[in-house]
Amino acid sequence: MLSKFKLLGVFLAVILFAVSARADAAPDWNTGKIQVTGMGIANPQMVRTPAHAAMMARRAAIADAYRQLAEVVSGVQVDAETTVEQMMLTSDIVKTRVSAVIKGAQVISEGEVAGGGYSVTMELALFGGNGGLAETVIERPPTIDPFPMPAPDYRPPANYTPPSIPNYQPAPSGGKYTGLVVDCRGIGTLNPVMSPVIKKVGGEKIYGHKNLDYDRIIREGMASYAQDMNQASRAGSNPLIVRAVALEDHSANPVLSKEDADMVLYENKGAHFLENIAVVFLY
């Protein structure tokens, strides 16, 4: 006699008929969402009525979507050194919580497709205090570390000229900077992560999750990743724009020159754009 586990495997093999073989989806780091589309059809040998066929196909599509989400989520970089999969391998608590996050994904569209199949599109939020992935994998620091100070002898340039960005015309300065844009293009391929760090040449960290309000970064994330300035609205209408000089830690963390890092810290003292997590990476 088959065990209940083998019987379950047989049942799933029958129900989950002709689903896709792998996940092609990836996180959208600008919106902070993972979206997948599961496909399924009913096993014709098991179909009793058209309604039954649709029900079986829908069930297969949902299972396929969950499988794809699990694949994509496991590969998400939490920080420069750690993926979600690595955290799940070392902690049963994280594994259980990540499973719950995946099961809580929202169905945003569904319907029958030609040939008797069914399609279900699901979405999962990387951030968001209610069911987002971040709360499961980003540790709450015991205290908030203050941002470092600029060099004591630092003086801001009288007329700062930001790096030239094609097809972007900066708005006339309206006083305080509203955010920070770090242009990481042209020095390699930036690897998006949930908990990035901005460094100064020499290794000093000037921006990281330990400097920020934990509950806010869980809701909103620490930065957005944009292909161009049209996607950089998070940094507001008058962002301070600097160019990274290098990428470190598996190309996840941008490095600023000492002058630019000091300028960021100096301007942040009055504008607080770092505390407001108004940070965008161009990549």
Side-chain angles (χ1 to χ4, degrees):
M1 178 181 293
L2 290 173
S3 70
K4 62 179 180 180
F5 299 107
K6 290 183 179 179
L7 282 171
L8 177 61
V10 172
F11 174 75
L12 291 175
V14 171
I15 294 297
L16 310 185
F17 186 77
V19 295
S20 59
R22 62 186 180 88
D24 294 315
D28 183 330
W29 289 97
N30 189 40
T31 63
K33 306 282 188 181
I34 299 172
Q35 191 176 109
V36 301
T37 298
M39 304 293 294
I41 62 173
N43 187 332
Q45 297 179 357
M46 301 292 294
V47 171
R48 295 192 295 271
T49 66
H52 184 228
M55 179 189 70
M56 293 176 66
R58 182 179 186 274
R59 188 178 303 173
I62 289 173
D64 184 39
Y66 280 138
R67 180 193 57 78
Q68 291 187 55
L69 281 173
E71 288 185 22
V72 177
V73 166
S74 69
V76 169
Q77 288 283 155
V78 179
D79 55 33
E81 303 293 337
T82 312
T83 64
V84 172
E85 181 177 31
Q86 290 167 332
M87 295 187 72
M88 292 170 65
L89 289 174
T90 58
S91 170
D92 287 338
I93 293 175
V94 171
K95 184 176 181 180
T96 300
R97 289 176 178 173
V98 169
S99 253
V101 168
I102 292 171
K103 289 298 182 183
Q106 301 296 308
V107 175
I108 60 173
S109 67
E110 63 178 290
E112 296 183 17
V113 297
Y118 205 91
S119 167
V120 173
T121 298
M122 286 186 168
E123 189 173 84
L124 183 150
L126 295 176
F127 302 96
N130 185 19
L133 181 64
E135 193 170 14
T136 297
V137 295
I138 297 179
E139 181 182 0
R140 182 187 290 271
T143 60
I144 298 177
D145 294 340
F147 285 101
M149 299 297 290
D153 59 349
Y154 174 78
R155 296 296 180 270
N159 294 295
Y160 175 65
T161 302
S164 175
I165 296 179
N167 304 317
Y168 173 66
Q169 183 63 44
S173 176
K176 293 179 180 179
Y177 289 111
T178 56
L180 174 67
V181 173
V182 181
D183 190 348
C184 303
R185 299 171 300 181
I187 55 172
T189 302
L190 180 66
N191 180 25
V193 298
M194 298 182 74
S195 181
V197 170
I198 301 175
K199 294 183 174 183
K200 180 195 292 192
V201 166
E204 182 183 11
K205 298 177 182 179
I206 69 167
Y207 181 77
H209 90 277
K210 293 182 179 180
N211 305 116
L212 303 169
D213 179 84
Y214 176 82
D215 294 316
R216 186 165 184 182
I217 65 172
I218 293 304
R219 291 194 308 269
E220 304 173 32
M222 289 181 57
S224 61
Y225 291 80
Q227 300 291 331
D228 55 49
M229 290 299 293
N230 291 327
Q231 299 176 329
S233 59
R234 183 183 184 122
S237 60
N238 183 36
L240 173 59
I241 303 173
V242 295
R243 180 160 286 151
V245 297
L247 299 174
E248 291 186 352
D249 311 316
H250 308 290
S251 297
N253 298 326
V255 180
L256 304 183
S257 68
K258 291 183 179 180
E259 294 78 10
D260 282 354
D262 282 339
M263 179 170 56
V264 168
L265 295 172
Y266 179 89
E267 297 294 346
N268 183 64
K269 287 194 300 179
H272 304 294
F273 47 78
L274 296 181
E275 289 91 335
N276 290 329
I277 54 176
V279 176
V280 176
F281 298 132
L282 295 182
Y283 75 125

